[in-house]
Amino acid sequence: MSATSNRRLIEDHFAAKDRLDRAVLEAQFTADAKWWPPLSGAQRGLAARPAEGGQKLAEMLTTLSLHLYAPVRSWTIELLTADEHAGAAQVWLSTTLASSGAPYDNVYVYFFRFADGKIAEVWEHLDTAYAFALFDRAPGRQ
């Protein structure tokens, strides 16, 4: 696929994450797609590393994400680049925590690998120390 179509795929991906649109997200992934969350998230049992399968990834980004974040959320793309094979995006997530309603704002960086016009692999990076401090202060976690 072209750099332009892969750039659009990333833009559409974050729009679908905003809407929690599982069907669109699943269609964006290859059947054997892999998602590499931060090591610290895997150590805390928040996600397998890697999480595998387009269906599972779509569920993780919609249904399972509701355990951490409120359904109303906004992914704002700050930087985006893509070529025929790979892409990267720096995005700002603004939402509230599902457990407490406390505000949550954090910057994420994602690296994408594409295959046949779909997302085949994702590497996720964020300030996990900041995120975990907020999660740990949530009611019932102290």
Side-chain angles (χ1 to χ4, degrees), residues 16-122:
K17 284 174 74 167
D18 269 352
R19 298 187 312 272
L20 297 173
D21 192 330
R22 185 175 175 169
V24 168
L25 288 165
E26 188 174 333
Q28 292 173 341
F29 289 113
T30 61
D32 61 347
K34 291 184 174 96
W35 189 287
W36 298 88
L39 285 169
S40 56
Q43 288 173 334
R44 280 184 164 235
L46 294 175
R49 186 173 159 91
E52 298 185 58
Q55 259 186 336
K56 183 175 183 176
L57 299 181
E59 179 184 5
M60 178 181 80
L61 296 174
T62 56
T63 308
L64 298 177
S65 74
L66 293 171
H67 294 285
L68 294 175
Y69 310 117
V72 176
R73 58 190 76 181
S74 174
W75 290 92
T76 303
I77 298 172
E78 297 178 328
L79 299 168
L80 174 59
T81 187
D83 64 20
E84 295 80 13
H85 309 287
Q90 177 177 302
V91 295
W92 183 267
L93 172 59
S94 184
T95 188
T96 56
L97 298 180
S99 60
S100 67
Y104 178 81
D105 296 284
N106 205 349
V107 175
Y108 291 66
V109 175
Y110 292 94
F111 294 95
F112 298 88
R113 183 178 62 78
F114 308 112
D116 301 321
K118 295 187 176 198
I119 299 168
E121 213 157 359
V122 180

